[in-house]
Amino acid sequence: MAILTVKDLTFTYPLCEESAVKNVSFSIEEGAFTVLCGATGSGKSTLLRLLKRQITPRGTENGEIFLKNEAIETVSAARIGFVMQRPDEQLVTDKVYSELAFGLENLGLPQNVIARRVAEMASYFGIEDWFERDVSTLSGGQKQLLNLASVMVMDPDILILDEPTSQLDPIATSDFLGTLKKLNRDLSLTVLIAEHRLEELIPMCDRLLIMENGALLKNGAPRDVIGTLSADDSLLPAMPTAARLYHALSGKGVCPLTLREGRNFLENNFRNDIRQIPPQEDIHKKEKALEFQNVCFRYEKELPDVLHETNLTVYENEIFCILGGNGSGKTTALSCAAGIRKIYGGQIRVFGKKLKAYTGQSLYQNCLALLPQDVQSVFLRNTVREELEDASVAEQELPFSLSHLYERHPYDLSGGEQQLLALAKTLAAKPKLLLMDEPTKGLDAKKKLALLNVIRDLKAKGLTLLIVTHDVEFAALCADRCALFFRGDIVSVGTPRGFFSENRFYTTAAFRMSKGFFDHAVTVEDITELCRLNGRKES
Amino acid sequence: MKSISAYNPIVICIYYLSAAGILMFSQNPILLLFGAIGAIAHFLLRNGQKNARSHLYFFLIFIVLGLVNPLVSHNGKTVLFVINDAPITLEATVYGFVSAGILVTVFYLFRTFTDIMTRDKLLYVFGRFSPKVALVLSMGLRYVPLFRERAKKITETQKALGLYKDDNIFDKLRCDLRVFSILITWALENGITTADSMEARAYGTGKRTYYSRFRFGTSDILLLCVIILCTGMTALGLAWGALDFAFYPMLTFTESTPLGIASYLSYGILMMIPIFAETGEKLKWQYLRSKI
């Protein structure tokens, strides 16, 4: 039975010529796990918000929406659960348990009912251990899990999620998606989720919807939908590695989605006489841009070291990526290098000069700049134009253009646009060494590729880039050298092909797929090239 | 008996209101003696050897305030000695120290009270009266750390961009002001998300209830009864004048009546409750452990 039915839905924002949602019709079966994807600005969020009346934006609307044959306008808030993007801002109260109870309090349920449901959800989601904590002490992943739990406590018929993992790191993302799948399987909860990162999500969904420019382009089983995409489709970069490979090699037959299927696809279709893609040579200049010598840092006297005798060397004009888990000290290392935090032991040298020798603002003039993880904290003004003038950005020197955004408020820009504006502001001081903290956070696949090009342009202009990231796929594409950070120290360094083929878990999906079949192939491009060299199997 | 902090917050509130209230409305050295012993002993039981500085401050307040009264007030019959032709009387001295003692005892009570009544317990008490007030307080408490964190983040970012100057006080002020102004924008922007999140969870659709993790159990009712009984008895004694004590012209107790004695005893019991509770719990544990 269809639980949610949308018929000919069209929606236009006030003062807008073009409709944000155009003539969309679909229905969702009870207990289905549905993924909605599309580029930023394709109308995903608008569509999802139209399904939840309490937060529907203003505008003109045509069409009909039914939840279990009931017009959506009359459906109470509790029956449709909605989880949004930002973990922090969705939280209303100060304690974990009061957040869980918030929705039920609003429904006016008696204390004993609330107590039972809260207890039930807390143990289902495994949040008993932090039940009495302040929400401000939770990690991003825990916050988002709490948001999910405090929606689930109201026992909704359908759960709608709007890019819930875009602000989370990969481990927290896996955790969150795993919980979603468990909810879907255990409680046969109907899930509708919009997401950018599809590698893990696609194999667990029953149905895939694709939106483009407000229209629903595709609607079907994920294998069929992805199989029928064209090889140059703009959404393809977002798809799982196996599917990308299938398209890059113009595959025939059933489209593989998981790593296992991708491996079978390779083995069944291609020879592997030439196994080795030549490892990259480690060529770098002699001059050191940044050097850590036995650096020690801790946040407070009583706490353990976050950086413990850390040694790290970044040479001039290279792109150096630092990977590592949460709390391994990556971000702390960046802020120490940028002089925001003071180390208590060892030495940091920037272009051969001790960090302490840079007095006043001299470190930040023509020398070093830090682009933080949360790019919103870069903005101080009300329009993009003011922002650029303020920092006296030389726009003609930028590898991208922002002129079409001049009159917008920085906070109103999309994630990718904010990233570029922040980057422009950071580049204004003409740094020779640019430190970037999680630059790909919250970006869709297309924006990531655009950022990759920008980073390469900056390198070509002579900059040195030190990038801290969770995104192994991104690091494999952009880095000259990669390093793994663990408990405040570097445990391994190497060129991407060398580095990722040494790792078993902390490596790219492409390498995990091709390991043992090919050597050192860490990106889809590497595998594609090897397949071309080897040729197809005769069948 | 379990530790006083394990009881329902409303019971705790009533207890402290009664203990401090009686003390403040009476000027009686015997009640003060009970009160001071109870309050200080409880404080020591909870905190042990720590807080030496607080003890010193409280003692200094006690001495200074106690000495001020006989220096300015010269009432009373018994002259102890004369300074600069001004008689220092026993009665004024006692009055001074009793008043100072009451104040310091209330300080001690307040210290343990704030220690026991954590934020969520206070919210629970407010929530009983008005769920709305409790929600507003809870949201406020959520925003304080959120704001602080945000302000720090923006300042740090601006510093690393070389745009935030703190070379002199005017530069720093100018930069702080800009950070503050964007902080407001940020708060309003996020307020929209929070409001959406609230409405998405049925906020404003009807009368709210209030959930808390505190229960009103049998032991709470029991303790509440004891508190009310003791407080009532003492209040009765106060009202009937059985606990009257005159400082001037001479220190005089009212003749002891059965009601008076019962009232003194009641207040004594009231002030001993936390000590019984605290030591009782410790003893129980030791007993249980010896059995294991």
Side-chain angles (χ1 to χ4, degrees):
Chain A
M1 194 191 109
I3 187 164
L4 183 79
T5 318
V6 177
K7 274 184 199 159
D8 305 320
L9 187 67
T10 300
F11 179 85
T12 315
Y13 281 102
L15 308 175
C16 277
E17 297 270 308
E18 206 182 349
S19 301
V21 173
K22 293 173 197 154
N23 212 10
V24 169
S25 303
F26 66 95
S27 68
I28 289 176
E29 293 298 306
E30 192 151 8
F33 195 114
T34 310
V35 173
L36 172 66
C37 68
T40 314
S42 60
K44 293 189 308 265
S45 286
T46 313
L47 175 63
L48 293 185
R49 280 174 175 258
L50 286 170
L51 304 178
K52 173 89 181 163
R53 282 296 127 161
Q54 286 75 20
I55 53 171
T56 296
R58 277 171 214 282
T60 47
E61 187 190 332
N62 289 305
E64 290 170 311
I65 308 170
F66 295 100
L67 182 75
K68 284 188 174 167
N69 300 325
E70 206 176 308
I72 198 88
E73 285 78 11
T74 60
V75 170
S76 70
R79 289 180 55 198
I80 301 179
F82 201 98
V83 178
M84 290 174 261
Q85 207 180 91
R86 300 182 145 254
D88 245 315
E89 288 77 353
Q90 286 177 75
L91 296 169
V92 177
T93 66
D94 62 328
K95 292 275 182 187
V96 171
Y97 63 85
S98 56
E99 187 66 32
L100 280 173
F102 178 76
L104 300 173
E105 290 175 346
N106 291 336
L107 296 178
L109 295 177
Q111 167 102 10
N112 55 343
V113 178
I114 299 183
R116 193 183 67 223
R117 288 226 225 153
V118 163
E120 210 181 23
M121 271 304 139
S123 50
Y124 187 84
F125 281 88
I127 55 186
E128 281 157 308
D129 294 341
W130 29 285
F131 191 66
E132 284 178 27
R133 294 240 310 259
D134 276 8
V135 293
S136 57
T137 63
L138 303 179
S139 71
Q142 287 174 323
K143 280 177 188 158
Q144 199 63 311
L145 216 53
L146 175 60
N147 282 318
L148 178 62
S150 43
V151 163
M152 282 312 298
V153 83
M154 298 174 79
D155 194 21
D157 290 339
I158 179 170
L159 183 64
I160 299 175
L161 305 103
D162 188 5
E163 295 180 21
T165 67
S166 70
Q167 304 295 316
L168 307 184
D169 66 76
I171 294 153
T173 301
S174 289
D175 233 29
F176 187 86
L177 295 180
T179 310
L180 264 188
K181 187 64 203 166
K182 195 171 149 214
L183 282 171
N184 174 250
R185 203 181 47 217
D186 293 358
L187 312 174
S188 77
L189 176 76
T190 316
V191 178
L192 172 59
I193 177 172
E195 253 311 336
H196 288 316
R197 280 192 280 186
L198 302 171
E199 184 84 46
E200 268 183 85
L201 206 48
I202 293 281
M204 61 170 82
C205 77
D206 311 312
R207 182 184 275 271
L208 183 62
L209 306 179
I210 295 185
M211 275 186 92
E212 200 177 277
N213 293 326
L216 189 63
L217 212 62
K218 303 244 155 111
N219 174 5
R223 213 175 288 280
D224 305 337
V225 168
I226 298 173
T228 55
L229 286 176
S230 60
D232 56 348
D233 196 295
S234 63
L235 277 173
L236 203 57
M239 294 301 158
T241 311
R244 285 205 324 261
L245 194 64
Y246 170 87
H247 280 287
L249 296 166
S250 48
K252 287 174 192 69
V254 181
C255 175
L257 296 179
T258 63
L259 287 190
R260 176 88 231 136
E261 291 166 2
R263 175 59 175 260
N264 289 341
F265 169 76
L266 276 182
E267 284 177 355
N268 295 339
N269 290 298
F270 294 93
R271 293 202 305 260
N272 63 340
D273 308 330
I274 310 167
R275 288 172 63 98
Q276 184 93 294
I277 194 151
Q280 294 129 320
E281 275 176 62
D282 193 354
I283 326 161
H284 52 73
K285 291 192 180 173
K286 281 233 168 57
E287 296 84 8
K288 293 167 180 170
L290 175 72
E291 194 181 13
F292 275 47
Q293 288 171 323
N294 296 321
V295 169
C296 294
F297 174 83
R298 57 177 68 170
Y299 281 94
E300 263 160 53
K301 207 175 139 202
E302 299 79 28
L303 296 176
D305 279 358
V306 179
L307 299 178
H308 184 71
E309 303 196 346
T310 308
N311 289 295
L312 164 76
T313 311
V314 180
Y315 296 97
E316 274 186 30
N317 200 221
E318 71 173 345
I319 303 177
F320 191 92
C321 282
I322 297 182
L323 298 137
N326 265 354
S328 58
K330 300 179 309 251
T331 299
T332 311
L334 276 198
S335 40
C336 286
I340 297 173
R341 306 198 187 288
K342 301 278 173 278
I343 54 174
Y344 79 85
Q347 196 62 255
I348 297 177
R349 286 170 198 274
V350 177
F351 294 107
K353 202 167 140 189
K354 283 181 189 169
L355 199 59
K356 280 177 204 144
Y358 289 92
T359 48
Q361 303 283 319
S362 64
L363 179 63
Y364 308 119
Q365 307 287 319
N366 308 322
C367 181
L368 168 152
L370 170 69
L371 183 66
Q373 189 175 129
D374 184 352
V375 287
Q376 275 197 357
S377 65
V378 171
F379 311 135
L380 292 177
R381 289 313 189 87
N382 287 324
T383 63
V384 172
R385 186 195 296 279
E386 282 175 36
E387 238 11 290
L388 294 173
E389 280 167 3
D390 221 32
S392 38
V393 175
E395 261 195 274
Q396 53 287 358
E397 286 175 27
L398 291 177
F400 47 86
S401 166
L402 292 166
S403 51
H404 58 293
L405 302 170
Y406 274 165
E407 304 308 324
R408 305 264 297 275
H409 192 286
Y411 283 4
D412 291 337
L413 305 181
S414 73
E417 290 164 347
Q418 284 189 347
Q419 191 82 42
L420 292 183
L421 176 59
L423 188 58
K425 237 185 131 179
T426 318
L427 292 173
K430 303 205 169 30
K432 287 183 286 178
L433 171 61
L434 180 62
L435 314 174
M436 299 173 103
D437 194 358
E438 298 286 353
T440 60
K441 196 172 189 178
L443 299 189
D444 65 21
K446 209 171 138 193
K447 294 277 155 53
K448 255 186 222 175
L449 290 178
L451 182 68
L452 184 67
N453 288 328
V454 170
I455 287 176
R456 283 180 180 150
D457 279 349
L458 290 176
K459 189 200 166 182
K461 284 193 176 174
L463 264 74
T464 312
L465 292 108
L466 173 58
I467 301 171
V468 158
T469 184
H470 280 300
D471 195 333
V472 282
E473 321 287 335
F474 185 75
L477 284 173
C478 82
D480 292 321
R481 287 196 304 149
C482 298
L484 181 64
F485 226 65
F486 179 70
R487 290 177 65 85
D489 201 6
I490 300 272
V491 287
S492 68
V493 194
T495 58
R497 274 179 201 156
F499 176 82
F500 288 113
S501 49
E502 286 301 311
N503 295 348
R504 291 294 165 267
F505 302 103
Y506 224 94
T507 187
T508 60
F511 177 71
R512 275 178 286 158
M513 190 188 302
S514 65
K515 194 182 86 186
F517 190 69
F518 293 137
D519 295 333
H520 302 302
V522 294
T523 60
V524 171
E525 288 72 20
D526 288 351
I527 301 182
T528 318
E529 202 186 321
L530 277 173
C531 286
R532 292 237 164 85
L533 289 173
N534 280 302
R536 283 179 185 276
K537 266 185 184 167
E538 309 297 327
S539 53
Chain B
M1 221 174 158
K2 54 188 182 183
S3 162
I4 191 93
S5 57
Y7 283 91
N8 188 292
I10 289 183
V11 178
I12 300 175
C13 274
I14 292 175
Y15 175 77
Y16 277 95
L17 274 178
S18 318
I22 289 176
L23 210 57
M24 285 192 287
F25 284 108
S26 68
Q27 290 271 358
N28 187 311
I30 295 177
L31 289 185
L32 171 63
L33 194 69
F34 286 144
I37 291 173
I40 295 172
H42 189 209
F43 185 84
L44 286 174
L45 270 175
R46 282 185 63 85
N47 299 301
Q49 307 284 314
K50 288 178 286 178
N51 300 79
R53 187 169 286 185
S54 307
H55 290 301
L56 185 68
Y57 283 147
F58 287 165
F59 183 69
L60 283 178
I61 291 171
F62 175 67
I63 296 294
V64 170
L65 285 182
L67 287 178
V68 164
N69 192 54
L71 291 178
V72 289
S73 158
H74 306 293
N75 288 342
K77 270 191 172 172
T78 325
V79 178
L80 294 174
F81 48 86
V82 179
I83 298 176
N84 288 347
D85 292 334
I88 302 296
T89 65
L90 175 70
E91 289 77 12
T93 313
V94 171
Y95 183 82
F97 277 105
V98 168
S99 310
I102 289 171
L103 194 71
V104 169
T105 306
V106 172
F107 281 170
Y108 269 107
L109 284 175
F110 195 70
R111 276 294 295 273
T112 25
F113 178 71
T114 48
D115 193 26
I116 290 172
M117 287 295 280
T118 47
R119 221 172 58 200
D120 45 331
K121 287 186 189 170
L122 273 178
L123 268 181
Y124 164 77
V125 175
F126 280 114
R128 287 275 123 179
F129 296 116
S130 161
K132 265 191 195 143
V133 173
L135 178 65
V136 169
L137 279 175
S138 176
M139 288 177 70
L141 289 170
R142 155 109 190 89
Y143 262 90
V144 172
L146 201 65
F147 251 65
R148 201 185 292 143
E149 213 172 279
R150 190 70 200 173
K152 201 172 147 227
K153 217 183 240 176
I154 295 178
T155 315
E156 281 179 1
T157 303
Q158 298 303 325
K159 226 173 234 169
L161 286 176
L163 296 172
Y164 191 102
K165 298 183 184 68
D166 48 7
D167 306 341
N168 61 56
I169 190 146
F170 292 105
D171 273 349
K172 188 170 165 20
L173 259 176
R174 207 172 58 91
C175 291
D176 279 344
L177 209 68
R178 281 172 56 182
V179 170
F180 181 73
S181 106
I182 197 71
L183 207 59
I184 299 293
T185 315
W186 177 82
L188 293 174
E189 191 73 21
N190 286 317
I192 298 170
T193 315
T194 311
D196 275 351
S197 166
M198 288 169 75
E199 283 205 40
R201 284 188 276 158
Y203 181 72
T205 49
K207 200 170 152 45
R208 266 177 71 80
T209 45
Y210 180 75
Y211 163 76
S212 88
R213 15 175 228 110
F214 302 106
R215 303 281 158 275
F216 217 93
T218 331
S219 59
D220 293 312
I221 295 170
L222 220 69
L223 182 65
L224 192 61
C225 289
V226 175
I227 293 171
I228 290 173
L229 216 71
C230 290
T231 313
M233 195 67 226
T234 319
L236 205 68
L238 277 176
W240 280 82
L243 303 182
D244 280 357
F245 178 82
F247 289 93
Y248 303 116
M250 267 178 74
L251 303 173
T252 30
F253 283 99
T254 332
E255 266 178 62
S256 61
T257 57
L259 178 66
I261 291 167
S263 300
Y264 280 130
L265 273 178
S266 301
Y267 192 68
I269 293 169
L270 187 70
M271 289 315 294
M272 292 307 129
I273 287 174
I275 300 164
F276 285 141
E278 221 76 49
T279 46
E281 195 186 28
K282 274 182 195 157
L283 286 178
K284 195 162 87 187
W285 272 108
Q286 262 161 14
Y287 173 70
L288 284 175
R289 200 185 292 153
S290 68
K291 283 206 139 184
I292 294 169

